[in-house]
């Protein structure tokens, strides 16, 4: 047990998780959050009786949260409930074809045969390879720091033997083209590059590991919507003694003689033995450490995609839609060229719609649906987002009305929007990038900032902008990695 004091900057998923992990070990933990609410991107709001999760909408790998509650010796059922979802996503293509992505691999393979004439065995082989790649590489490179020598002695031989030349030197698109015959199947599996804000035409084929998490391990729905994850993690942290300070913008990290000493909040020095930043790593260096050189170095890595989001209360129920829905663009390559090269939006965007009212009717008024509608966008670089949103709204409404056979605009009862500027303001994600840096290069995973810095002792980093990456599962893993780094440093100091 330790009496050491820890301050955590930011109460995103990773911040909440690391706070609990250290409190359980006996540290005195204080969390400082600039907003009046916890969760970072994983927050929520209501409009006219419609509930909207404002950020991430996909829940996979619940074992990451289960592990945290087990560590805290708390029954997860007292805080949080979730259920498996039979169909991970419903896919709609411009040529009229539709696919239900079942979370049962056999059913999914048969669906791909019936709808796209894909060989079922090709689907099953791909998912088996995805699982093998995750089991042999993910458990090493996602669960541990890539930047510590000991990680490379945890069985990298097996991991490196699993990674083939094509996993690193082919794009995900090239890899998928070698596995599937229909353009629809290729597009469907290309989409998984967007799970970390990247382009399937640039990102390496090792991202083929991602379908395993959703289609083999399963997709889940948390009762009460995604915000229930934040609420459960907050309550757990509080019950373990963590102190929270909301509306508390951290101004600076105090460090002296190569060691973190605390933070400055509201012009007051808060001293601590350990400082952990759950804020965007670029902002941490630029604003909190005043290290412009290091901040500039981080920007050498391409920013991940951002998003434009429409929150629509729809006064009708659509039987053909599910919890997760994708309406693909006709020209996927053009769409990603617009996002990453031209820094604009395609006039034929891929549209994602999440509808939690499909799982819980109480999420919206009777006879209605709550649409969280997201379109991938470039990170902010000075675009006119007001004009972009106006044009995008028109393009999206035309697309959905045509495919669904309904005047969608006439059904919008309430509306709110978000864009890269709003995302940056609310979450400190630089330029609104949802995942920090993209994975549009072979070395992207190794160039992502580590969970520590060798220049300042007792300063650590967790969250989506550092190793191992963005998304709820990886943010939870980053908190675990930091916890283990602190434990290792403490053990070394006592010997």
């Amino acid at each position: 047990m330790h009496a050491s004091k820890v301050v955590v900057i930011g109460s995103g998923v990773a911040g909440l998780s690391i706070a609990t992990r250290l409190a359980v070990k006996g540290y005195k933990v204080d969390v400082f959050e600039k907003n009046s609410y916890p969760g970072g991107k994983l927050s929520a709001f209501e409009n006219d009786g419609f509930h909207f999760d404002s950020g991430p909408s996909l829940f996979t790998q619940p074992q990451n949260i289960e592990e945290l509650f087990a560590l805290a010796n708390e029954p997860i059922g007292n805080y949080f409930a979730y259920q498996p979802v039979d169909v991970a996503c419903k896919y709609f293509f411009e040529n009229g074809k539709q696919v239900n992505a079942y979370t049962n691999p056999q059913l999914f393979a048969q669906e791909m045969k019936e709808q796209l004439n894909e060989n079922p065995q090709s689907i099953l082989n791909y998912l088996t390879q995805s699982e093998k790649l995750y089991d042999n590489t993910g458990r090493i490179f996602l669960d541990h720091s890539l930047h510590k020598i000991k990680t490379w002695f945890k069985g990298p031989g097996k991991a490196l033997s699993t990674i083939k030349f094509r996993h690193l030197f082919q794009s995900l698109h090239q890899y998928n083209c070698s596995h599937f015959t229909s353009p629809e199947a290729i597009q469907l599996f290309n989409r998984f590059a967007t799970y970390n804000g990247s382009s399937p035409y640039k990102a390496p084929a090792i991202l083929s590991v991602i379908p395993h998490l959703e289609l083999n391990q399963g997709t889940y729905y948390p009762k009460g919507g995604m915000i229930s994850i934040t609420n459960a993690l907050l309550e757990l942290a509080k019950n373990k003694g963590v102190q929270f300070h909301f509306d508390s913008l951290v101004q600076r990290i105090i460090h002296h003689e190569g060691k973190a000493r605390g933070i400055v909040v509201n012009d007051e020095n808060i001293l601590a033995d350990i400082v952990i930043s759950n804020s965007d790593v670029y902002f941490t260096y630029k604003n909190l450490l005043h290290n412009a050189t290091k901040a500039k170095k981080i920007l050498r890595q391409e920013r991940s995609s951002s998003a434009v989001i429409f929150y629509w209360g729809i006064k009708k129920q659509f039987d053909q839609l599910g919890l997760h829905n994708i309406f693909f663009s006709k020209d996927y390559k053009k769409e990603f060229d617009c996002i990453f090269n031209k820094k604009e939006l395609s006039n034929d965007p891929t549209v994602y719609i999440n509808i939690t009212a499909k799982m819980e009717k109480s999420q919206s008024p009777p006879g209605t649906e709550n649409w969280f509608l997201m379109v991938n966008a470039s990170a902010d670089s000075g675009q006119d987002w007001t004009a972009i949103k106006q044009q995008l709204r028109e393009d999206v409404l035309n697309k959905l009305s045509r495919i669904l056979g309904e005047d969608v605009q006439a059904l919008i009862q309430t509306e709110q929007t978000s864009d890269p500027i709003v995302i940056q303001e609310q979450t400190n994600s630089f330029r609104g990038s949802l995942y920090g840096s993209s994975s549009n290069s072979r070395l992207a995973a190794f160039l992502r900032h580590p969970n520590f810095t060798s220049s300042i002792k007792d300063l650590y980093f967790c969250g989506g902008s550092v190793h191992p990456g963005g998304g709820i599962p990886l943010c939870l893993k980053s908190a675990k990695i930091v916890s283990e780094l602190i434990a290792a440093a403490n053990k070394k100091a006592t010997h």
Side-chain angles (χ1 to χ4, degrees):
M1 300 290 282
H2 306 272
S4 300
K5 183 174 180 179
V6 177
V7 294
V8 179
I9 304 168
S11 65
V13 167
L16 293 170
S17 179
I18 187 62
T20 294
R21 284 183 174 276
L22 295 182
V24 166
K25 292 183 178 180
Y27 290 90
K28 184 181 183 304
V29 185
D30 285 79
V31 178
F32 294 83
E33 167 61 53
K34 79 178 186 74
N35 292 317
S36 60
Y37 54 88
K41 297 182 184 73
L42 198 61
S43 56
F45 64 93
E46 284 201 9
N47 257 359
D48 299 331
F50 292 87
H51 173 99
F52 295 102
D53 288 310
S54 57
S57 56
L58 178 65
F59 182 38
T60 59
Q61 288 199 309
Q63 61 266 33
N64 291 308
I65 295 179
E66 291 174 346
E67 178 188 295
L68 183 61
F69 278 86
L71 177 72
N73 198 27
E74 291 282 342
I76 191 170
N78 291 353
Y79 296 79
F80 182 60
Y82 60 90
Q83 65 187 83
V85 179
D86 293 335
V87 176
C89 189
K90 287 178 172 283
Y91 291 96
F92 298 81
F93 297 89
E94 277 290 338
N95 58 11
K97 294 182 181 180
Q98 298 180 19
V99 170
N100 288 321
Y102 293 99
T103 51
N104 178 315
Q106 296 290 339
L107 289 179
F108 178 50
Q110 187 58 36
E111 173 79 353
M112 294 289 274
K113 166 66 175 175
E114 293 174 0
Q115 304 302 327
L116 305 180
N117 200 30
E118 285 290 338
N119 183 344
Q121 197 56 49
S122 297
I123 303 297
L124 294 173
N125 289 345
Y126 188 100
L127 292 178
T128 298
Q129 268 299 115
S130 181
E131 179 178 18
K132 183 179 179 183
L133 195 60
Y134 180 80
D135 286 344
N136 290 344
T137 63
R139 297 187 191 285
I140 295 175
F141 300 129
L142 297 181
D143 292 345
H144 304 280
S145 172
L146 281 181
H147 308 85
K148 291 291 186 180
I149 292 296
K150 65 179 183 179
T151 297
W152 298 90
F153 292 94
K154 293 181 183 291
K158 189 175 183 181
L160 295 177
S161 68
T162 304
I163 299 175
K164 308 300 183 185
F165 179 88
R166 64 181 182 273
H167 290 134
L168 294 178
F169 293 94
Q170 281 188 346
S171 69
L172 181 62
H173 173 71
Q174 291 171 324
Y175 181 80
N176 289 339
C177 284
S178 69
H179 284 78
F180 309 115
T181 58
S182 70
E184 294 85 7
I186 294 168
Q187 188 173 27
L188 191 158
F189 280 92
N190 277 356
R191 176 185 169 243
F192 287 99
T194 68
Y195 282 38
N196 66 4
S198 306
S199 164
Y201 304 95
K202 292 183 177 181
I206 198 165
L207 293 191
S208 62
V209 69
I210 299 175
H212 167 64
L213 309 183
E214 181 174 310
L215 298 172
N216 286 331
Q217 289 192 343
T219 303
Y220 299 83
Y221 173 75
K223 185 178 180 182
M226 297 295 285
I227 188 62
S228 64
I229 297 174
T230 294
N231 293 339
L233 294 178
L234 177 67
E235 187 179 352
L236 177 66
K238 284 182 174 180
N239 285 347
K240 295 302 159 182
V242 177
Q243 297 294 312
F244 287 87
H245 310 268
F246 295 104
D247 296 309
S248 299
L249 177 65
V250 176
Q251 298 162 285
R252 185 164 60 86
I253 293 174
I254 304 169
H255 60 98
H256 180 61
E257 295 182 344
K259 184 189 183 314
R261 308 283 179 169
I263 59 175
V264 178
V265 181
N266 296 325
D267 297 324
E268 179 186 354
N269 290 352
I270 309 292
L271 300 182
D273 302 291
I274 295 171
V275 176
I276 302 170
S277 177
N278 181 215
S279 184
D280 184 287
V281 69
Y282 170 79
F283 276 122
T284 300
Y285 276 102
K286 184 175 184 292
N287 298 338
L288 305 184
L289 293 169
H290 301 298
N291 188 334
T293 302
K294 181 65 176 179
K296 188 175 180 180
K297 185 178 179 181
I298 291 170
L299 291 189
R300 291 177 189 170
Q301 291 179 261
E302 182 183 41
R303 296 300 89 193
S304 79
S305 61
S306 184
V308 173
I309 305 171
F310 296 94
Y311 306 95
W312 287 342
I314 300 292
K315 51 187 178 185
K316 181 181 175 172
Q317 293 176 327
F318 285 81
D319 294 338
Q320 64 268 52
L321 299 181
L323 173 63
H324 301 288
N325 310 272
I326 284 287
F327 295 81
F328 273 124
S329 61
K330 188 174 184 179
D331 190 340
Y332 216 31
K333 190 170 186 179
K334 174 188 173 185
E335 185 177 0
F336 285 97
D337 180 54
C338 286
I339 293 171
F340 288 102
N341 297 327
K342 297 180 179 178
K343 310 299 182 186
E344 61 186 33
L345 288 187
S346 165
N347 58 4
D348 175 28
T350 293
V351 178
Y352 165 74
I353 303 177
N354 172 250
I355 312 171
T356 58
K358 292 292 184 182
M359 303 300 294
E360 290 182 281
K361 288 183 168 45
S362 60
Q363 293 277 295
S364 69
T368 68
E369 292 179 344
N370 56 336
W371 286 17
F372 167 99
L373 189 152
M374 186 181 91
V375 172
N376 291 318
S378 66
D380 176 57
S381 56
Q383 300 96 320
D384 183 347
W385 290 106
T386 300
I388 289 173
K389 283 192 293 187
Q390 186 176 349
Q391 182 60 54
L392 178 62
R393 187 179 190 274
E394 184 178 326
D395 293 337
V396 166
L397 286 170
N398 288 337
K399 181 185 187 81
L400 295 178
S401 297
R402 173 170 45 80
I403 295 174
L404 296 174
E406 190 84 36
D407 181 2
V408 176
Q409 179 166 346
L411 298 174
I412 299 175
Q413 183 174 323
T414 184
E415 179 173 14
Q416 192 162 318
T417 67
S418 184
D419 56 50
I421 297 291
V422 174
I423 292 169
Q424 175 175 300
E425 289 174 350
Q426 292 180 342
T427 69
N428 264 4
S429 300
F430 181 59
R431 293 173 53 190
S433 298
L434 296 178
Y435 307 92
S437 56
S438 74
S439 293
N440 288 339
S441 73
R442 292 190 298 272
L443 297 177
F446 300 94
L447 295 174
R448 188 174 281 274
H449 195 284
N451 304 99
F452 63 96
T453 171
S454 56
S455 61
I456 303 177
K457 184 183 177 184
D458 296 324
L459 173 62
Y460 298 90
F461 308 86
C462 63
S465 66
V466 296
H467 178 73
I472 296 170
L474 296 188
C475 284
L476 290 167
K477 288 180 185 296
S478 79
K480 183 180 180 182
I481 291 171
V482 169
S483 175
E484 291 172 347
L485 289 172
I486 291 172
N490 184 66
K491 184 177 180 182
K492 185 178 179 180
T494 56
H495 279 74

